[in-house]
C-alpha cells in the first residue's frame, strides 16, 4: 500500500492537462481599461512614468475606445484632466467639463455597445489636488464634498455614463450618490464603489498621469495599509448604501483584502491594478529583469484568483489580445 504522492505531477504534465484542471482563467470580459483624456491636447501625450500609457486628446480617446470595444473587454474607465482647476473642482460638475464632454462623445459614438465608466472624484479637478473640498483649516470637508459628488454623479449620468466610480473615500458617498441619481431619474446608473481604497505609494505614476497638484497625502480619508478588518466595515457600509459593485485598490499588495472582500461580498467585486503596479513591471521588463508578458499575465491571474470578477488594468487591451490568441 503506497500513497499516491505523484498525484500533483500527473495533473501538471502537459499544457492541455494543466488547462483542463485550471481553476481560474482570464477572459477579455474580466478586464476594464482606465483611460486619461486631457483638455486642449491635439495629439496623445506619453506619460513618462507609465511607458505605453498616454493622456488622450478628445479625438484619440475615441479611437482608443473603439480599440477597446473591438478587443471585447468589459468596458472603459475615464479620467479627465481639465485645463483649468479651482478650489471646488467645478469642471467636474460642468456638463462642458472635459470628463463629462468625453463621456457624451463616447456615448454618441458607440451607443450602448461600450460600457462607459467614469471616475467620480474631485482630485483631477481641484487646484489643491485633494479628493474633496477643503475647510478653512485645510482639512477635507467630507459633507460638503458629498454635495458636489451628488451633482457630479448626475452630470456624468446626464452625459451618458453607465457606471460611476466614486473613488474619493468620503464617508457616505455611495448613499448620497444613489439618492441623487434616483431623484434625477437615473435609477439605472450603476455605482462601482471604491470600497477598500488604501493610501498607497503605488499611486505615484497616476499623479503624473493626471498632472496632479497634490502636496501632502490622502491619509485622512484613504485606508491605512496596516488595516485588514476595516475593509469589511467599508464593504458593509457601501453595500448598505447601494453599491452595485465594490472595488479593492491597489490590487497586488492587497490580495488578502481582496480575498476577504470577495468572500464576504454579496455583490460583484472589482480590483484596480494601479499605476505603480503597472510601472514596476514595465520597468523591470524594460531592464530585461523579468519576462514582461509572463509577469503581466501572472499578475492578472493572481488578482483573479484572489477573488476579483473584474480587473481594471492598463494592460487590458494587450492582455485581451493575448487571451484571444490563446497563448496567455
Ligand atoms: C482618485 C483616483 C486615484 C486613482 C484612481 N482614482 C488616485 C489617488 O487616489 O491618489 C489611482 C489610479 C492609479 O494609480 O492607477 N481620483
Amino acid at each position: 500500500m503506497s500513497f499516491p504522492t505523484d498525484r500533483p505531477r500527473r495533473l501538471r504534465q502537459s499544457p492541455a492537462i494543466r488547462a483542463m484542471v485550471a481553476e481560474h482563467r482570464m477572459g477579455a470580459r474580466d478586464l476594464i481599461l482606465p483611460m486619461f483624456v486631457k483638455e486642449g491636447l491635439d495629439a496623445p501625450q506619453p506619460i513618462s512614468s507609465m511607458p505605453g500609457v498616454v493622456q488622450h486628446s478628445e479625438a484619440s480617446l475615441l479611437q482608443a475606445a473603439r480599440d477597446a470595444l473591438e478587443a471585447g473587454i468589459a468596458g472603459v474607465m475615464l479620467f479627465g484632466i481639465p485645463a483649468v482647476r479651482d478650489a471646488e473642482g467645478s469642471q467636474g460638475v460642468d456638463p462642458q467639463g472635459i470628463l463629462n464632454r468625453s463621456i457624451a462623445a463616447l456615448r454618441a459614438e458607440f451607443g450602448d455597445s461600450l460600457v462607459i465608466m467614469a471616475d467620480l472624484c474631485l482630485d483631477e479637478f481641484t487646484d489643491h489636488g485633494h479628493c474633496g473640498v477643503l475647510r478653512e483649516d485645510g482639512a477635507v470637508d467630507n459633507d460638503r464634498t458629498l454635495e458636489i459628488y451628488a451633482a457630479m454623479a448626475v452630470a456624468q449620468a446626464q452625459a451618458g455614463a453607465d457606471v460611476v466610480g466614486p473613488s474619493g473615500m468620503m464617508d457616505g458617498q455611495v448613499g448620497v450618490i444613489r439618492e441623487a441619481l434616483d431623484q434625477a431619474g437615473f435609477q439605472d446608473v450603476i455605482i462601482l464603489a471604491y470600497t477598500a481604497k488604501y493610501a498607497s505609494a503605488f499611486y505615484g505614476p497616476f499623479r503624473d498621469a493626471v498632472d496632479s497638484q497634490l502636496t501632502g497625502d490622502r491619509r485622512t480619508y484613504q485606508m491605512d495599509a496596516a488595516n485588514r478588518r476595516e475593509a469589511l466595515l467599508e464593504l458593509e457600509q457601501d453595500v448598505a448604501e447601494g453599491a452595485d459593485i465594490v472595488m479593492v485598490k491597489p490590487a497586488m499588495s492587497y490580495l488578502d483584502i481582496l480575498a476577504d472582500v470577495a468572500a464576504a461580498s454579496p455583490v460583484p467585486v472589482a480590483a484596480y491594478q494601479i499605476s505603480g503596479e503597472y510601472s514596476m513591471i514595465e520597468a523591470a521588463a524594460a531592464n530585461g529583469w523579468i519576462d514582461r508578458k509572463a509577469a503581466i499575465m501572472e499578475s492578472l491571474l493572481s488578482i483573479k484568483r484572489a477573488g476579483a470578477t473584474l480587473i481594471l488594468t492598463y494592460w487590458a487591451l494587450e492582455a485581451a489580445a493575448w487571451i484571444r490568441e490563446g497563448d496567455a
Side-chain angles (χ1 to χ4, degrees):
M1 209 28 201
S2 70
F3 296 109
T5 53
D6 51 358
R7 185 161 52 202
R9 251 176 300 140
R10 263 199 296 281
L11 296 181
R12 291 175 198 151
Q13 59 185 299
S14 71
I17 289 172
R18 287 195 295 275
M20 176 180 78
V21 296
E23 288 177 49
H24 299 281
R25 241 174 227 111
M26 293 302 307
R29 292 274 171 211
D30 301 333
L31 305 175
I32 296 166
L33 178 67
M35 297 199 297
F36 304 102
V37 55
K38 181 170 172 175
E39 188 162 24
L41 286 185
D42 44 23
Q45 190 77 29
I47 300 164
S48 59
S49 55
M50 299 181 74
V53 180
V54 299
Q55 294 176 327
H56 281 289
S57 67
E58 291 181 64
S60 74
L61 182 76
L62 281 183
Q63 183 51 49
R66 182 168 302 288
D67 294 342
L69 185 63
E70 283 164 8
I73 64 171
V76 297
M77 171 66 81
L78 301 182
F79 293 88
I81 304 142
V84 181
R85 293 171 151 141
D86 58 28
E88 306 273 311
S90 55
Q91 287 293 298
V93 178
D94 188 333
Q96 287 311 311
I98 181 67
L99 179 55
N100 295 325
R101 208 161 70 214
S102 300
I103 296 167
L106 292 193
R107 176 60 67 222
E109 182 79 7
F110 300 107
D112 58 11
S113 62
L114 180 71
V115 178
I116 301 170
M117 313 185 184
D119 187 54
L120 203 175
C121 193
L122 286 181
D123 66 312
E124 291 98 9
F125 297 98
T126 52
D127 53 14
H128 46 72
H130 275 290
C131 295
V133 292
L134 304 181
R135 296 192 312 227
E136 264 173 25
D137 64 2
V140 170
D141 187 333
N142 191 90
D143 293 1
R144 209 155 58 80
T145 300
L146 293 183
E147 293 168 25
I148 302 178
Y149 283 2
M152 198 170 169
V154 171
Q156 293 183 348
Q158 266 158 355
D162 296 293
V163 180
V164 297
S167 65
M169 288 301 278
M170 296 300 129
D171 290 332
Q173 61 184 9
V174 173
V176 164
I177 289 167
R178 182 75 270 157
E179 201 177 316
L181 288 171
D182 288 352
Q183 273 175 11
F186 294 111
Q187 287 88 352
D188 289 343
V189 171
I190 294 163
I191 300 178
L192 162 56
Y194 287 60
T195 292
K197 179 174 179 183
Y198 283 82
S200 171
F202 296 107
Y203 300 137
F206 179 89
R207 306 275 152 89
D208 289 342
V210 300
D211 305 337
S212 175
Q213 315 283 312
L214 184 72
T215 53
D217 59 52
R218 308 197 197 287
R219 293 183 185 279
T220 62
Y221 44 102
Q222 297 181 344
M223 290 176 65
D224 185 335
N227 295 343
R228 181 167 179 175
R229 220 188 290 287
E230 195 186 341
L232 294 178
L233 178 63
E234 294 281 2
L235 171 67
E236 206 172 293
Q237 288 181 188
D238 279 3
V239 170
E241 289 176 32
D244 299 291
I245 303 172
V246 293
M247 182 146 77
V248 174
K249 177 183 177 185
M252 287 168 73
S253 293
Y254 296 85
L255 293 179
D256 55 335
I257 311 299
L258 179 55
D260 287 353
V261 168
S265 178
V267 300
V269 176
Y272 198 142
Q273 183 181 51
I274 62 161
S275 56
E277 304 180 51
Y278 173 89
S279 300
M280 281 193 295
I281 291 179
E282 289 292 348
N287 276 293
W289 295 336
I290 52 172
D291 176 335
R292 180 173 178 275
K293 177 176 171 186
I296 291 170
M297 291 314 292
E298 184 178 331
S299 72
L300 291 170
L301 191 58
S302 73
I303 297 166
K304 174 124 195 186
R305 191 189 61 233
T309 296
L310 288 166
I311 304 174
L312 281 79
T313 174
Y314 300 99
W315 288 303
L317 293 198
E318 212 175 351
W322 291 332
I323 292 165
R324 203 172 42 240
E325 290 156 13
D327 61 0

